[in-house]
Amino acid sequence: MELETNYEIASTAGFIHTRNFTRVALQFPDNLLKDSIRIVRALRANLRSLRDSDGDNKDVGLFVMADTNYGSCCVDEVGASHIDADCVIHYGHTCLSPTTKLPAFFVFGKASISISKCVENLSKHALTNDKPVLVLYGLEYAYAIPHIREALTEASTSCVSGSKLEINFASVICSVINPAEDHKSIHGSAGGSTTNESFGKEAGTRYAIGGLNWNIPEGHKMEDYLLFWIGSDNSAFANVVLTFNGCEIVRYNATEDSLVTDVSQQLKILKRRYYLVEKAKEANIIGILVGTLGVAGYLDMIHQMRELITRAGKKAYTLVMGRPNPAKLANFPECDVFITVSCAQTALLDSKEFFSPVITPFEAMLAFNSSLPVEVRDQSEARFSFIKGVYIEDFDQQDTVIGKEDKEGALALANATEKALKLNDGNLNSIIKGTAKSGAEFFLSRSYHGLEINGDSSPEPYVIGRSGKASGYVDEKSKQEG
């Protein structure tokens, strides 16, 4: 019975049956694969009973998916397309990113939590703070929020201090996603930032992040609220801390029943992200990492990044490699920085072990975008580098823009090829990483260009090697006998 409740077997079977799906993909993270067989058996039993009640003899195929190509929080539409699935049932932690082709049903799970301890910590901290409280939480605790709200109401009515607690709760956006819906108005802008959509004087400003949304009344801002997070210190919490870094944030650890008020470690991540933005400003060759093939709008974001990089006078390369790691990215040493296009929670990679920094599209906009248009910007003005501590001049952006006299495609291609393959007085080492404008220029500066074939040398005659076992070759035995 606990399995039926935790994994919402009845509602999942109802979703499959009412929509007449015949091929269903069940996506599990690594930590929930141990329960996949029992879940499949329970789903088949529920679907069989639903078909018998309706007199339907149509069989439903259930396929378990594991080891996703990208982040497990996103719906793996690529893996589901391999089995020609009609929909995806996603289990475990999720970012609730919109899908492109397949409908998805999300089972968040039900992590254990002490309602009384949570309400006690929440009410005590709210009484000692003058700010109103906004409660955010991991989606695995969404089932407990109504009980927490009810217990908090009872605690506030029995409070003898007479002080009224102003506590607001965020709500879950949805548990079912259809690709035909317009998710821009539901999820807000990409990266989990705020949306400035007004829904009247009473609604105020609407915010959305990590599958949660809430409204802030007019005349208020997020910095006026104390954020109370219920959940573990994971990527969802880091996304909240980095997005609303101007707010006071506390975290309730439901596993240990403790309140964590020190989030300085997460704020250190924010400082490092600013450092990576400054590093990206000095990059000349940028690699765009395709970190998802299922999140809606990822192709538009890739095109936007390429246009942004081109306008900044830099070279862009698009790379598709699944989950990035230091070994994979080390195969592209010419790239000074990488931009990962994925959901907001998997985009925050800790790139300390990488040879080149990995940033998000938002950080790329901060690094490469300018408030002035290209034609107004002073190309001769130097820029101060916080990394080197000196003033530097960026490459002339007009080198990457085809002039009016070079509009013919053949002439423009010839000019670009000549610039890329041009040698500087035969000194190949004059171009180093960070100064090359393209991968071709960086390749010329490398000391090793691959195998070199010398046509003048004649082939050597072949030699017959040893034969026999390693304990005693044939020639060794003959010597011993002689």
Side-chain angles (χ1 to χ4, degrees):
M1 185 60 66
E2 184 179 356
L3 181 75
E4 298 267 349
T5 306
N6 290 343
Y7 292 103
E8 304 177 16
I9 300 298
S11 58
T12 305
F15 171 78
I16 298 172
H17 181 71
T18 54
R19 300 202 178 193
N20 297 323
F21 293 135
T22 58
R23 300 179 66 86
V24 180
L26 309 179
Q27 181 179 341
F28 291 90
D30 295 339
N31 60 321
L32 296 181
L33 274 176
K34 61 184 185 296
D35 298 331
S36 59
I37 297 178
R38 294 191 299 162
I39 292 174
V40 169
R41 291 174 180 172
L43 280 176
R44 284 176 177 171
N46 276 262
L47 288 171
R48 191 180 302 111
S49 62
L50 290 175
R51 290 198 307 269
D52 294 340
S53 61
D54 294 346
D56 187 6
N57 296 325
K58 187 181 295 183
D59 192 15
V60 178
L62 302 178
F63 303 88
V64 175
M65 293 195 306
D67 191 20
T68 58
N69 295 326
Y70 302 100
S72 59
C73 62
C74 302
V75 176
D76 188 7
E77 290 190 282
V78 177
S81 63
H82 292 165
I83 57 176
D84 195 19
D86 300 325
C87 72
V88 178
I89 308 298
H90 186 283
Y91 292 91
H93 174 71
T94 177
C95 58
L96 276 182
S97 297
T99 57
T100 56
K101 298 179 180 179
L102 297 177
F105 182 86
F106 294 91
V107 179
F108 306 133
K110 297 180 180 181
S112 60
I113 183 175
S114 175
I115 303 295
S116 58
K117 293 287 184 64
C118 179
V119 171
E120 180 182 355
N121 284 274
L122 176 58
S123 57
K124 283 184 179 179
H125 200 79
L127 288 173
T128 58
N129 198 291
D130 298 333
K131 296 182 178 179
V133 180
L134 175 63
V135 179
L136 306 178
Y137 45 89
L139 295 178
E140 63 272 17
Y141 298 101
Y143 77 99
I145 296 302
H147 305 287
I148 295 175
R149 192 196 301 265
E150 182 180 355
L152 191 63
T153 304
E154 295 177 358
S156 60
T157 54
S158 61
C159 183
V160 295
S161 61
S163 58
K164 184 179 180 181
L165 300 179
E166 185 179 352
I167 301 178
N168 305 303
F169 288 83
S171 58
V172 180
I173 294 177
C174 60
S175 60
V176 178
I177 286 182
N178 296 312
E181 294 179 356
D182 184 12
H183 293 280
K184 291 184 179 180
S185 60
I186 299 177
H187 289 262
S189 58
S193 59
T194 61
T195 57
N196 295 326
E197 298 179 5
S198 179
F199 295 86
K201 294 183 179 180
E202 296 181 0
T205 307
R206 182 171 177 265
Y207 292 82
I209 187 172
L212 303 175
N213 60 357
W214 63 93
N215 290 336
I216 299 297
E218 282 194 2
H220 292 75
K221 53 186 179 179
M222 283 299 302
E223 288 75 12
D224 300 334
Y225 285 80
L226 166 70
L227 300 186
F228 190 92
W229 174 265
I230 301 175
S232 58
D233 186 6
N234 52 14
S235 59
F237 177 63
N239 191 24
V240 170
V241 173
L242 296 181
T243 305
F244 304 109
N245 54 81
C247 301
E248 182 181 354
I249 303 175
V250 296
R251 181 176 68 89
Y252 174 71
N253 190 343
T255 305
E256 301 177 359
D257 289 331
S258 61
L259 194 65
V260 181
T261 58
D262 184 14
V263 294
S264 58
Q265 189 64 31
Q266 285 73 20
L267 294 178
K268 288 181 181 179
I269 300 177
L270 183 63
K271 295 180 181 179
R272 174 165 176 78
R273 306 310 298 190
Y274 279 122
Y275 168 77
L276 296 181
V277 170
E278 294 299 325
K279 288 280 291 185
K281 290 181 180 179
E282 301 183 5
N284 301 318
I285 303 176
I286 293 91
I288 302 175
L289 302 179
V290 182
T292 179
L293 294 177
V295 176
Y298 78 96
L299 286 177
D300 296 335
M301 180 57 65
I302 292 175
H303 295 325
Q304 184 178 353
M305 288 295 102
R306 292 189 66 88
E307 293 177 359
L308 178 67
I309 294 169
T310 303
R311 288 199 305 267
K314 306 175 187 296
K315 185 68 175 179
Y317 295 96
T318 305
L319 309 172
V320 182
M321 61 179 64
R323 295 184 182 181
N325 56 48
K328 290 181 181 179
L329 298 188
N331 294 320
F332 306 94
E334 64 272 16
C335 293
D336 302 317
V337 68
F338 296 94
I339 304 173
T340 175
V341 177
S342 62
C343 72
Q345 297 185 13
T346 57
L348 296 173
L349 286 176
D350 187 6
S351 57
K352 292 181 179 179
E353 299 180 357
F354 293 79
F355 291 98
S356 299
V358 182
I359 63 175
T360 64
F362 175 73
E363 293 165 347
M365 293 179 183
L366 294 179
F368 305 140
N369 201 2
S370 177
S371 58
L372 295 177
V374 176
E375 58 271 11
V376 180
R377 197 182 308 152
D378 187 3
Q379 299 290 339
S380 61
E381 183 179 356
R383 175 178 59 84
F384 183 78
S385 172
F386 290 95
I387 304 299
K388 299 179 180 179
V390 295
Y391 283 94
I392 60 175
E393 289 188 21
D394 293 329
F395 288 125
D396 188 6
Q397 299 184 8
Q398 301 302 324
D399 290 343
T400 61
V401 180
I402 302 176
K404 293 182 180 180
E405 66 278 2
D406 295 337
K407 286 187 177 180
E408 292 80 2
L411 182 59
L413 180 61
N415 292 338
T417 305
E418 181 181 359
K419 290 181 181 180
L421 301 178
K422 184 179 180 180
L423 299 180
N424 296 334
D425 300 331
N427 185 10
L428 299 178
N429 295 325
S430 61
I431 301 176
I432 60 175
K433 183 179 180 181
T435 60
K437 296 183 182 181
S438 64
E441 289 187 9
F442 181 82
F443 181 76
L444 291 175
S445 66
R446 299 177 64 174
S447 59
Y448 178 72
H449 294 174
L451 297 177
E452 298 180 1
I453 301 177
N454 298 323
D456 299 336
S457 60
S458 59
E460 296 290 337
Y462 67 90
V463 179
I464 299 177
R466 289 181 174 183
S467 61
K469 297 181 179 180
S471 59
Y473 292 101
V474 175
D475 56 345
E476 293 178 347
K477 291 181 180 179
S478 61
K479 290 180 181 179
Q480 292 176 0
E481 294 175 355

